[in-house]
Structures are given as structure tokens and as C-alpha cells.
Amino acid sequence: MNLGPGPAVLAFDVGGTDVKAALVGEDGRVGAVVRVPTPPSGAGSAPAVIDAVAELAGRLRAAAGEPVAAGLVVPGHVDEATGIGVFSENLGWRDFPFRAQAEAALGVPVAFGHDVRAAGAAELRLGAAAPYRDVVVMVIGTGIAGAVFADGREVRGTGLAGEMGHARVADGPDCACGGRGCLEAVASAGAIARRYTSLTGAPVDGAKEVLRRADAGDAAALAVWESALDALALDLSHTASLLAPEAIVIGGGLAQAGDRLFRPLRERLDAILTFHRRPELVPARIGEDAGVIGAALAARDLAAAGRPDLREAP
Ligand SMILES: [Zn+2]
């Protein structure tokens, strides 16, 4: 992946399991992604994330060049405008001033954002969403969230837009957010595995194995998989009726099922919609490093905004 010539920047993506980081050189080349485990959830998790970011920055800076800005993206409810990580149910922080703390630790200006919105921005500028202006990028992994672009501009809703993972699509099961029947509790990769295990008592190695079992004729696996497809199609139909996107780009672990996901999803969505604009359902292109790439793009934008000589010609 190459972002084109520009200032050297650092990029960090705080995920559920790893904090990933990369240095993007002035030639735009994205260096090797390095990672450390995400600190455990709890009261000290947010400061520990800053420590991890500082440690990774030390390693990367030794490798090449002096970055002029950094991008940091984290999960949960993120307020980009204030630089605050408002809430993460998975990592356990509340109202933590990530941008200010990261700037203090790194000594460069920091663009702070949301992991999935950053991944969506990367898909919009360099990936599968690039041909479209009205497009939703949806990430289906451990959870489900999306980035919404209307007329080429991101819809943020003070950091709460794109939370389709917590829209109700069924009568159950309970969701970690305190709701019930949320899309994420029915159809995320994590939920598909959990629901199969609670139905059969058999532990499985992720949604991939549930799908394999469904293909081998396991009735419980098939029921779980099909109900996940129904829930996803129902949610996509709401997205289509609300925003009329040209396309919905789907990434995350579940998208790796390829045609086994996309084909039945297209059929189900087509059967629900009537006069609506039918969005193309397109696999994401950038893949698992989209968050890091999005963080790098935001850092580049910040550096350019601060230095008129680096601003792109309109
Ligand atoms: Zn929920």
C-alpha cells in the first residue's frame, strides 16, 4: 500500500486484541505493521494504551525518518471533535482525553478518530468505496459498525453515527450494550459462533467453522447462519431506505466468507426492497490494516492542514 508522497507520519489502530502501528514514509510507503497486545480492560486501560503507543512509536522512529504527525484510532464511542474516547464497553474507558495524552507522549500533533470510521475513510479514498459518493462501509467482525458517507462526506453524529450493530433486528439474544436482539448480537462473527455453541453445546473456532458445519449439513449451524443472513439483510434494507447508498462495502472477518456471504445477502436484500435504489454489495479491499491506513491518512491531513506548503491542490 502506498499513500503517495507527503509528510512522514505515524499511525496507530487500537483493536480488541492488538495495538497496531506503522510508519508511513515521505514516499508514501506504509512500513511493516508492528503490534503489541491491547492492555486489559479496566480503569487503567486508557493510560496503558498511551504507554503502548509511545513504546511502538519508539520502535518505529528508530527504523526510519522523523514523523511530523500521528494518527490514533480507537474503538467505542469516539468524539473526534474534542479528542475524547467517550466510552468503550470492551476496553473499559470513559471520557479519556486520548488526543491530548497521545500528543504529550509522542511530541507531534495527533489526529484522533474512530477505528471503523477510519477504516471506512481508507476504503473511500484508496479502496472499494472509491467509485462512490453515497456509500456505507460496514465492518462485520467481533462486532458490527459502519462508516456512513453522504455525497462524499462522512456523517459522524458526534461519534454515534454508523452504530448499526446496535439496531434491533430480532427478539434476542441479549446484547453487551444492554439492548436485546441487536444486529451485533445476532449476526457478528462472534455472535454466530456464540449462538451455535449455546444451541448445541459444541465449542467452535469462530463463524468460519459454523459456516463449514452448515455446508456439511449441520442443521443447527445452518439455522444460525441463515438467521444471521436474514438479520443482516433486514438491516441493509433499512440502510437502503434511509440513505439510498450506491453501494455498501462490507469488510471484517465475516466478509472473508466471500460469495457464501455476498450472494445470499444480495438475494435476501433484493427480495425485501421494492422501489428503493438497490445498493451494490461490495467486498472491502484494504483488509485488516484499513484502520492503520485510515489513521495514517488522517495524520497526513492534519500535517497538511498545519503546513500550507503540504496542502493538496484543490
Ligand atoms: Zn447492542
Side-chain angles (χ1 to χ4, degrees), residues 89 163-168 173-185:
E89 72 200 18
E163 290 287 353
M164 67 277 268
H166 300 285
R168 184 175 288 190
D174 290 340
C175 180
C177 76
R180 184 168 166 71
C182 291
L183 180 64
E184 180 171 308

Side-chain angles (χ1 to χ4, degrees), residues 14-123:
V14 180
T17 50
D18 288 328
V19 180
K20 297 195 281 186
L23 181 74
V24 177
E26 290 182 351
D27 60 358
R29 203 180 57 84
V30 180
V33 173
V34 295
R35 57 185 81 209
V36 294
T38 303
S41 175
S45 67
V49 163
I50 297 295
D51 291 344
V53 162
E55 188 215 315
L56 288 165
R59 271 203 250 164
L60 290 168
R61 277 175 156 151
E66 195 46 39
V68 300
L72 169 64
V73 301
V74 306
H77 177 192
V78 168
D79 189 339
E80 278 99 343
T82 58
I84 305 269
V86 180
F87 176 58
S88 166
E89 72 200 18
N90 294 324
L91 295 172
W93 60 64
R94 236 173 228 290
D95 295 323
F96 187 78
F98 274 100
R99 187 169 59 211
Q101 294 287 316
E103 286 183 341
L106 297 173
V108 293
V110 172
F112 175 64
H114 182 256
D115 55 354
V116 171
R117 285 195 292 279
E123 288 290 345

